[in-house]
Amino acid sequence: PYINNTDIVYVGNSGPHARLTLLSRACALLHPINFPEPFGLSVIEAMACGTPVIAFNLGSMPEIILHEKTGFLVSNIDEAVEAVKDIDQINRKHCTDWVSSMFSRQKMVKNYLKVYRKILTNK
């Protein structure tokens, strides 16, 4: 009942440009997963845009989100609601800096090469 009012609008699927615009203008990304997700690409995309994330503390979320620095890790809906109230405490630049330092293309290549070298030297 709250969709398409003045505050909440359903926009459907968004392409890359629209997604970046939406994420960069959002106060937060709400990511209430209910399974141990192995990796949260949408979480990384949001933080790369400077948008903090509120997510359930499951799966890879504790490895991706720095609690109280790039977002909030919560256990239930009530905690998520409280985290929304505190979202202004998160420095948006810190979100972008964190993603750049941990999930950049350069970091990925460096880590792949590290794994490949380990595999090749342990034959």
Side-chain angles (χ1 to χ4, degrees), residues 5-123:
N5 71 19
T6 57
D7 295 323
I8 302 171
V9 178
Y10 177 72
V11 295
N13 292 334
S14 301
H17 180 66
R19 182 176 54 244
L20 293 177
T21 300
L22 288 167
L23 285 173
S24 65
R25 294 180 181 170
C27 294
L29 174 70
L30 302 177
H31 194 68
I33 58 170
N34 61 0
F35 65 98
E37 184 174 17
F39 190 76
L41 184 56
S42 61
V43 172
I44 299 300
E45 289 175 330
M47 289 189 295
C49 292
T51 301
V53 178
I54 299 169
F56 286 162
N57 192 5
L58 294 170
S60 63
M61 294 303 108
E63 297 173 48
I64 297 173
I65 299 168
L66 296 176
H67 183 66
E68 297 181 345
K69 293 193 183 292
T70 63
F72 295 100
L73 297 166
V74 298
S75 300
N76 55 53
I77 295 294
D78 291 335
E79 287 181 13
V81 170
E82 288 303 310
V84 169
K85 295 175 185 176
D86 295 332
I87 205 68
D88 288 340
Q89 295 177 11
I90 304 296
N91 181 321
R92 294 175 73 96
K93 181 161 177 8
H94 191 78
C95 295
T96 304
D97 291 346
W98 166 248
V99 168
S100 294
S101 73
M102 297 303 292
F103 302 101
S104 69
R105 184 174 31 226
Q106 294 83 1
K107 179 88 171 188
M108 182 184 73
V109 169
K110 179 182 173 185
N111 286 339
Y112 271 117
L113 290 173
K114 185 177 175 182
V115 169
Y116 295 153
R117 284 186 190 105
K118 184 176 180 182
I119 291 169
L120 291 172
T121 58
N122 286 333
K123 284 189 171 183

